[in-house]
Amino acid sequence: MQESDIQPGRLVVLSEEECWDLLRSRPVGRLAWSGAEGVSVIPVNFVVEDDTVLLRTTPYSLLARDCADREVAFEVDDIDEQRHGGWSVLVRGRCERERVRSDGPRPWVTGPRVLGLRVAVVSVTGRRLLSSTAERA
């Protein structure tokens, strides 16, 4: 497909239920916060439990030092480069240290990831870009 063949798609707002379903469908997202080194965004594996996002890190990591007891954003998406479509879900909330250790997620990286962090969700929003080719199909 050439650049001149590409037609803009339509943006659709997702319901809260759709957002939660899409969050649960992916194992990796990006956590964003403003901390000692400025604005940071890192990929993390995670799980959703009720209305919280759970992740694990080391107690001495930048993530642990900067995010605990602060407002953060968490984003998950899926992009279809061929059809120029996809979706994005944005979670905003407060990151807190776990008081009681949960079962998940199981870290993808080596080393002891013993500190559990919870993003207590305040808002969840999402959008889907429907490609023009999907609308014609």
Side-chain angles (χ1 to χ4, degrees):
M1 184 180 299
Q2 294 182 354
E3 190 76 27
S4 61
D5 295 336
I6 299 169
Q7 297 296 316
R10 187 168 52 97
L11 203 56
V12 177
V13 174
L14 299 172
S15 71
E16 188 171 330
E17 182 179 342
E18 288 174 301
C19 290
W20 284 109
D21 288 344
L22 290 169
L23 275 173
R24 288 182 186 94
S25 76
R26 295 293 181 265
V28 175
R30 286 171 292 285
L31 189 70
W33 72 94
S34 181
E37 295 184 12
V39 176
S40 298
V41 180
I42 61 167
V44 293
N45 69 300
F46 72 100
V47 294
V48 173
E49 182 180 277
D50 299 322
D51 60 351
T52 61
V53 174
L54 304 175
L55 49 117
R56 293 219 176 286
T57 190
T58 60
Y60 49 84
S61 68
L62 181 64
L63 176 64
R65 290 190 314 265
D66 273 1
C67 288
D69 300 320
R70 293 216 177 151
E71 299 302 312
V72 299
F74 183 76
E75 192 265 345
V76 177
D77 60 33
D78 186 60
I79 306 299
D80 182 341
E81 292 180 34
Q82 295 297 318
R83 298 176 70 180
H84 295 198
W87 57 265
S88 175
V89 173
L90 177 64
V91 167
R92 291 184 177 100
R94 186 163 187 84
C95 187
E96 305 165 341
R97 287 185 169 95
E98 280 188 331
R99 291 186 180 10
V100 177
R101 186 177 170 135
S102 65
D103 290 335
R106 186 171 178 184
W108 286 15
V109 296
T110 60
R113 302 295 191 258
V114 296
L115 177 61
L117 296 175
R118 290 181 176 270
V119 178
V121 176
V122 173
S123 71
V124 58
T125 58
R127 302 183 303 176
R128 181 181 306 275
L129 176 59
L130 299 175
S131 71
S132 59
T133 57
E135 289 179 349
R136 282 186 256 143

